Amino acid sequence: MPRFAANLSMMYSEHDFLDRFAAASADGFQAVEYLFPYAYDAAELRRRLDDHGLEQVLFNAPPGAWESGERGMAALPGREAVVRSGVDRALEYAAALGCPRVHLMAGLVRPDATPVERAEHRDTYLTNLAWAAERAAAAGVDILIEPINGRDMPGYFLSTQAEAHAVVQEVGASNLKVQLDLYHCQIVEGDLTTTLRRDLPTGRVGHLQIAGVPDRNEPDRGELNVRHVLDVVDELGFDGWIGCEYRPRAGTSEGLRWLNDYRSHQGESARGCHHGWRGCRAGRSDRPPRRGVR
């Protein structure tokens, strides 16, 4: 059954960042993801994970000057040395945190880039991804690439699932995978059921993320039928994590009813629980529900 990871960059913003680990654990999450760990000592982050029984399942490699508007560099000619030093730094954190996935962002491209310039961006992207995947393979880490919608991130180099899968296939590294964010995919392409049924069985999707469309709040708010989408993921036997990368409309814990409802819908599993929340054996929890999550 689907397993859910709390995204600590968006969820639990009512707490200081380092206190969000405890809050996610108290709500029953067993895993977390977030954008970047680099403002914090890796040992401190590891302590927070261990103290609260959490797995770190994803974070991003350094994106360049984020505060100045950069959104990655992997597809930017001339930034190769910075990309590679960033990958090495990310892998150091991944080793310390036991994290098996790192997202390497592509970067922004001018809207008036010529076909020749876009081809140069793509060649740079492929070269950097091949290098990063080889480097990460030695550490047992997957490198992920994510198509992102142009409304939230205008000019981002990678926007469609087909483009991402073509890149993964062209590079040909077994540890280079697609990060399928269903929020971005719905905005760019729609047709999520067909996309999931087409792409999950390929083994090229390494991570899922979810949020409500169009406002990026709880997944049950807006145009998605979240129960149907998650049922399709379950039907296809996806055994990775689903990152809850959304901005809660009010308090994070108060907004988890969608997750509680979905778990109730799934019911008890005779094969044991793989829902991604602690204390569950054969679909039953040996502790009372906490703050809205069963």
Side-chain angles (χ1 to χ4, degrees):
M1 293 182 182
R3 302 183 295 168
F4 300 93
N7 185 291
L8 300 187
S9 295
M10 289 193 175
M11 301 175 76
Y12 302 104
S13 61
E14 58 268 42
H15 303 282
D16 291 339
F17 181 77
L18 290 176
D19 294 331
R20 296 176 193 179
F21 294 83
S25 176
D27 277 339
F29 286 101
Q30 285 188 306
V32 297
E33 61 177 37
Y34 41 73
L35 286 176
F36 310 111
Y38 311 108
Y40 303 93
D41 182 76
E44 175 61 22
L45 294 174
R46 182 65 196 234
R47 184 176 72 81
R48 301 283 172 151
L49 293 168
D50 292 344
D51 284 353
H52 301 292
L54 294 167
E55 294 181 47
Q56 181 77 49
V57 298
L58 177 69
F59 60 81
N60 292 358
W66 184 266
E67 297 301 325
S68 299
E70 284 196 309
R71 294 297 181 263
M73 303 167 287
L76 305 185
R79 305 297 297 277
E80 290 85 352
V82 183
V83 169
R84 295 181 183 195
S85 66
V87 168
D88 282 340
R89 189 179 185 201
L91 292 176
E92 290 174 2
Y93 269 82
L97 302 179
C99 183
R101 298 168 200 87
V102 170
H103 173 208
L104 184 57
M105 297 187 74
L108 307 180
V109 175
R110 295 191 339 267
D112 60 348
T114 67
V116 171
E117 289 171 329
R118 288 199 65 86
E120 185 180 2
H121 283 293
R122 191 174 191 277
D123 289 344
T124 301
Y125 195 38
L126 294 174
T127 298
N128 280 329
L129 289 174
W131 184 90
E134 182 176 4
R135 197 80 159 181
V141 171
D142 287 346
I143 297 293
L144 303 186
I145 61 173
E146 178 187 19
I148 296 176
N149 82 78
R151 185 177 71 204
D152 286 0
M153 200 173 289
Y156 192 73
F157 179 72
L158 191 69
S159 62
T160 71
Q161 302 305 310
E163 291 171 335
H165 282 267
V167 165
V168 168
Q169 289 177 288
E170 190 165 342
V171 172
S174 62
N175 66 320
L176 178 62
K177 297 183 182 295
V178 176
Q179 181 175 320
L180 171 51
D181 188 317
L182 297 169
Y183 164 80
H184 292 304
C185 185
Q186 172 67 9
I187 291 171
V188 176
E189 306 173 55
D191 207 13
L192 295 184
T193 298
T194 298
T195 297
L196 288 166
R197 289 178 175 160
R198 179 191 67 215
D199 291 346
L200 289 192
T202 69
R204 292 191 296 268
V205 176
H207 191 70
L208 295 176
Q209 290 175 321
I210 195 165
V213 181
D215 296 324
R216 209 168 193 176
N217 299 137
E218 284 82 354
D220 62 337
R221 306 294 296 186
E223 63 196 54
L224 292 187
N225 182 340
V226 65
R227 179 176 293 185
H228 168 75
V229 169
L230 294 175
D231 280 349
V232 172
V233 172
D234 190 23
E235 163 199 318
L236 294 168
F238 180 72
D239 62 357
W241 292 91
I242 301 176
C244 301
E245 192 182 34
Y246 64 82
R247 292 182 291 267
R249 287 174 299 126
T252 302
S253 299
E254 292 77 5
L256 288 172
R257 180 174 178 177
W258 71 271
L259 187 51
N260 185 37
D261 288 349
Y262 181 70
R263 289 165 172 168
S264 297
H265 159 68
Q266 285 293 79
E268 296 182 359
S269 170
R271 296 174 293 134
C273 175
H274 306 286
H275 297 141
W277 71 95
R278 85 186 71 258
C280 190
R281 295 182 177 87
R284 298 182 60 85
S285 175
D286 57 8
R287 72 178 188 185
R290 302 178 68 173
R291 294 166 59 182
V293 176
R294 289 174 53 182

